[in-house]
Amino acid sequence: MNAPTPHTAAEVEGWVAKMRKEIAIEPPAPGEVRTPDEIANQLELVESVANKALWIVKEADKVRADAAEVLLRARSKAQVAAEGKNAAERAAAVDLATEQERAEEAAAQIAYRYAKGLADLVDSRKSSLQTQSKLVLATYQLASNPRRA
């Protein structure tokens, strides 16, 4: 049985961009109030994205850990290959030999932070929608209960 192919930082960033589009909510027009059904539908959408966001953060963390491990191994090999040189030459040789791995590790770190940002955005959006839901329900309740003089 083959091991699953590890994901890349670019894949993570693509997933995050897609999820951000999914939870983009247009504000109501001035003077317009969202209905409880609209709020409920938006909350369901955000809940769906929240589940995906958790998976994306988990995968981004794996990508980050894998990239860090690859960089560590590459540095070790480069340091062994740089024996016999002075410290500055060894450092330069290690940097040159690990350029690709360092770039991939940096990309993985960025992708992880991007995924964490998505998770934070989803939480914020969910909280905002829950607050809006309470306000809309209160507005409808006030409108449906005429005041008695």
Side-chain angles (χ1 to χ4, degrees), residues 17-25 45-46 48-49 52:
K18 183 179 179 221
M19 294 298 105
R20 283 184 183 273
K21 285 181 183 177
E22 284 187 28
I23 63 168
I25 297 171
L45 174 64
V46 169
S48 171
V49 171
K52 293 174 192 173

Side-chain angles (χ1 to χ4, degrees), residues 124-143:
S124 174
R125 185 69 40 87
K126 183 177 174 182
S127 176
S128 174
L129 285 168
Q130 288 171 335
T131 300
Q132 289 177 35
S133 175
K134 290 175 186 173
L135 293 172
V136 168
L137 287 173
T139 300
Y140 275 83
Q141 288 172 345
L142 284 173

Side-chain angles (χ1 to χ4, degrees), residues 8-53:
T8 65
E11 283 178 299
V12 170
E13 289 186 9
W15 297 331
V16 171
K18 183 179 179 221
M19 294 298 105
R20 283 184 183 273
K21 285 181 183 177
E22 284 187 28
I23 63 168
I25 297 171
E26 290 295 319
E32 194 175 283
V33 176
R34 288 192 173 113
T35 67
D37 286 345
E38 289 172 331
I39 300 279
N41 287 337
Q42 290 171 344
L43 272 168
E44 286 176 13
L45 174 64
V46 169
E47 282 291 334
S48 171
V49 171
N51 291 331
K52 293 174 192 173

Side-chain angles (χ1 to χ4, degrees), residues 12-13 16 20 56-57 60-61 64 105-121:
V12 170
E13 289 186 9
V16 171
R20 283 184 183 273
I56 290 171
V57 170
D61 196 28
R64 182 175 67 157
E105 197 268 344
Q109 292 289 351
I110 291 167
Y112 177 77
R113 287 192 300 272
Y114 194 38
K116 287 290 287 174
L118 169 69
D120 293 344
L121 176 63

Side-chain angles (χ1 to χ4, degrees), residues 25-107:
I25 297 171
E26 290 295 319
E32 194 175 283
V33 176
R34 288 192 173 113
T35 67
D37 286 345
E38 289 172 331
I39 300 279
N41 287 337
Q42 290 171 344
L43 272 168
E44 286 176 13
L45 174 64
V46 169
E47 282 291 334
S48 171
V49 171
N51 291 331
K52 293 174 192 173
L54 291 175
W55 180 83
I56 290 171
V57 170
K58 177 185 67 113
E59 291 303 312
D61 196 28
K62 286 181 186 177
V63 169
R64 182 175 67 157
D66 290 346
E69 180 65 29
V70 168
L71 176 58
L72 184 63
R73 283 195 307 267
R75 279 191 184 189
S76 295
K77 288 178 185 177
Q79 286 170 343
V80 168
E83 288 298 317
K85 300 177 181 181
N86 67 36
E89 290 172 335
R90 280 193 308 268
V94 169
D95 282 350
L96 185 61
T98 60
E99 185 176 3
Q100 179 67 33
E101 292 84 358
R102 285 183 296 116
E104 289 173 5
E105 197 268 344

